[in-house]
Amino acid sequence: MRLVGSVVAAWLMACPVAHAVQPDEIMADPAQEARARELSRELRCMVCQNQSIDDSEASLARDLRLLVRERISAGDSNAQVIDFLVARYGEFVLLKPRFRSETLLLWLLPPLALVGGGIVLWTHGRRKTKAAPGADPETSSKLTAEEEAQLEQLMAAEKPRETPV
């Protein structure tokens, strides 16, 4: 009995996440449906903004899913469907923006920030390990000849005078 429960739990964990695609949206041709699902995962829900239209339950996402399926049924390629939606809704409809001159900063800023942070940490670490001129315990305990003479004079002046008993 325990084995059956474990198998059921493992099966439930292995099941794919439920998507928002409704049964009436699914295309009859499995190849076209797979293309539609693939495209739906690349398109942003304009309402949720951080979800794909494949995952969103918003009515606009449903409309976009139906539009994608309509364009696929009309014989459009994946690139044509994407281009149609970008022309209609702008680049923001893409979850992963294209690498272009307009999006160059968006693509390059994260790696540049990572490299810059690494350089700052490396520089900070080197500064900590690099000793300041007077910070070395060996060099800071050594006195110059002039300082030793002054110290001798001070110590001689401070000696307690012996009083006869």
Side-chain angles (χ1 to χ4, degrees):
M1 190 64 173
R2 205 174 242 182
L3 178 64
V4 172
S6 298
V7 170
V8 169
W11 179 76
L12 287 173
M13 289 172 46
C15 286
V17 177
H19 296 286
V21 177
Q22 303 299 314
D24 62 330
E25 297 175 34
I26 297 175
M27 300 176 84
D29 182 10
Q32 287 184 336
E33 178 61 26
R35 281 183 53 209
R37 294 300 285 269
E38 180 184 329
L39 287 171
S40 295
R41 287 186 205 100
E42 296 176 19
L43 299 169
R44 179 187 316 273
C45 173
M46 305 303 268
V47 176
C48 307
Q49 294 190 3
N50 218 14
Q51 275 187 320
S52 69
I53 62 171
D54 195 49
D55 297 327
S56 176
E57 294 186 18
S59 61
L60 180 59
R62 176 182 165 81
D63 293 343
L64 287 173
R65 287 191 303 263
L66 291 172
L67 184 59
V68 166
R69 283 164 172 74
E70 179 183 307
R71 300 299 297 188
I72 289 174
S73 294
D76 286 359
S77 68
N78 289 2
Q80 289 173 321
V81 173
I82 294 288
D83 290 341
F84 174 79
L85 290 169
V86 167
R88 195 168 190 182
Y89 295 100
E91 288 281 330
F92 187 71
V93 78
L94 301 175
L95 272 174
K96 185 177 176 184
R98 298 173 181 166
F99 191 77
R100 303 163 100 178
S101 61
E102 299 90 27
T103 60
L104 191 62
L105 187 63
L106 179 68
W107 281 101
L108 295 180
L109 194 59
L112 289 176
L114 188 63
V115 168
I119 290 171
V120 167
L121 288 174
W122 179 73
T123 305
H124 182 69
R126 285 197 37 120
R127 282 187 189 158
K128 280 201 169 247
T129 58
K130 188 176 181 181
D136 187 20
E138 271 188 41
T139 59
S140 64
S141 64
K142 293 182 180 179
L143 300 175
T144 63
E146 184 181 313
E147 291 172 335
E148 284 185 27
Q150 286 177 350
L151 183 61
E152 288 294 326
Q153 286 177 355
L154 288 172
M155 288 175 57
E158 293 283 325
K159 270 189 181 175
R161 295 189 182 109
E162 291 183 22
T163 54
V165 181

